Amino acid sequence: ELEKQVVESFSDIPALPRVDKDGDDDGKDDEFYNSLTIQREKVGTWDVTAHTPIIDMGMPFTQDTLGRICRIIPVKDKHSLSITWQIPPQWKNWSSKPCDFIAHLLGHEAAGSLLSALKAKSWVNECYAGVGSGGYENASSHALFCLNFTLSVAGVSHWEEIIRHVYIYIGMIRYYCKSDGGLPSWMFDELRAIQQMSHHYEDEPTP
């Protein structure tokens, strides 16, 4: 069923033109992109916008396919809980990165955080959250925000209570977002400091 939906959704999208080994495509690249109904505005600026036909098709997962519980027997001796939300595409939010804020709060390890509360109950060992960089997780039509927990043996039998704690914590974040003061400024300062350090001490890329 999923394969059929993918074929129906993407069968009308033409493939990219092939490029010779010397990098010369004989102008086929320009011809290809000119043939697509991609609307670009303010190209070459920080305010560039683009619209493709796939955006008009809406998000890939319909309402009747959401809200599912999938139980998977792992190959490794590991217990995990993954919660995934389909959200609107995030490429327009490249400057504000709201998902980074939410991921930072959901994955925080300090006292008073979601993780510390679940660790105190000996249900969870670690967690991480965010939108992945893969094409199926962060696309022009949608994004998938995932929250993943590594559970203890005791946590497996309390997975429903863990989810309840997650939504209580999300409700608290929503309350602060809608309040007059918004989220505390220290959250932005902390996230900025982490990103600056990651960039400053980043390993040199492979040539």
Side-chain angles (χ1 to χ4, degrees), residues 59-86:
M59 293 189 284
F61 298 103
T62 57
Q63 191 65 33
D64 59 338
T65 62
L66 300 175
R68 302 294 180 90
I69 298 175
C70 301
R71 294 177 172 87
I72 302 173
I73 300 177
V75 177
K76 295 183 178 180
D77 186 13
K78 180 181 180 181
H79 305 291
S80 61
L81 171 64
S82 299
I83 308 172
T84 303
W85 294 273
Q86 178 181 240

Side-chain angles (χ1 to χ4, degrees), residues 48-62:
V48 60
T49 60
H51 182 83
T52 63
I54 195 172
I55 297 178
D56 299 328
M57 300 175 67
M59 293 189 284
F61 298 103
T62 57

Side-chain angles (χ1 to χ4, degrees), residues 16-19 23-38 40:
L16 289 172
R18 296 184 178 274
V19 181
D24 183 16
D25 63 352
D26 298 327
K28 295 179 181 178
D29 189 64
D30 292 337
E31 181 181 348
F32 169 77
Y33 283 106
N34 290 334
S35 66
L36 296 178
T37 55
I38 299 178
R40 292 186 175 91

